[in-house]
Amino acid sequence: MRRLATSMLTPDSGLLGQGVRFAIAGTVVALVYLITTTCLALVVPFQIALAGGFCLAICVHFSLQRLFVWGHRDSFALPLHHQAGRYLIVAGTQYAITAASTSLLPPVLGLPTEVVYLLTVLIVASSNFIVFRNGIFHSR
């Protein structure tokens, strides 16, 4: 079991390993966002804490995607500034989709907002894996 876990963190682990690393990175970023926002909210108004937590989470997420999830690649097809630009477009789109789905779909589907949110997160995360793998952090 330990050997399998270790192999998932190596470049030779293929698509499954990338998926495992993607999930690990997502978990780390969720914790960073939650902890940062919660701690900042103790000393500044919540909306400021939320923005600070979001900004730090975005920076950590981009870094983990580039260095941990996809960083095993010998060389990226895109330079850093192009990756960052595309990443920010995806992040903004993800936010817009999440905001729209959680405000529009609950009454239409007859579901609680939280359920729609969780379903949206699953769909967006799956889509992000494909977009990151093929359009942002891909090799030459």
Side-chain angles (χ1 to χ4, degrees), residues 33-86:
Y33 189 23
L34 177 67
I35 291 168
T36 302
T37 302
T38 302
C39 290
L40 285 175
L42 297 173
V43 294
V44 298
F46 184 80
Q47 294 305 323
I48 294 171
L50 186 65
F54 181 77
C55 289
L56 180 59
I58 288 289
C59 292
V60 170
H61 191 255
F62 178 81
S63 298
L64 286 175
Q65 293 301 315
R66 191 165 200 284
L67 301 172
F68 176 64
V69 178
W70 315 107
H72 65 281
R73 308 241 179 164
D74 292 334
S75 62
F76 290 113
L78 300 174
L80 176 62
H81 66 282
H82 287 294
Q83 287 177 334
R86 288 183 182 191

Side-chain angles (χ1 to χ4, degrees), residues 2-21:
R2 184 177 178 191
R3 178 186 251 181
L4 176 64
T6 303
S7 73
M8 288 296 113
L9 300 177
T10 66
D12 301 327
S13 61
L15 184 62
L16 180 60
Q18 290 171 340
V20 168
R21 292 188 303 273

Side-chain angles (χ1 to χ4, degrees), residues 101 109 111 113-125:
S101 70
L109 299 175
L111 295 171
T113 302
E114 293 79 7
V115 172
V116 172
Y117 172 70
L118 292 174
L119 291 172
T120 302
V121 166
L122 290 173
I123 292 167
V124 167

Side-chain angles (χ1 to χ4, degrees), residues 96-136:
I97 289 169
T98 304
S101 70
T102 55
S103 65
L104 300 174
L105 293 179
V108 173
L109 299 175
L111 295 171
T113 302
E114 293 79 7
V115 172
V116 172
Y117 172 70
L118 292 174
L119 291 172
T120 302
V121 166
L122 290 173
I123 292 167
V124 167
S126 300
S127 300
N128 281 351
F129 180 82
I130 294 166
V131 170
F132 290 170
R133 185 173 197 270
N134 298 309
I136 298 175

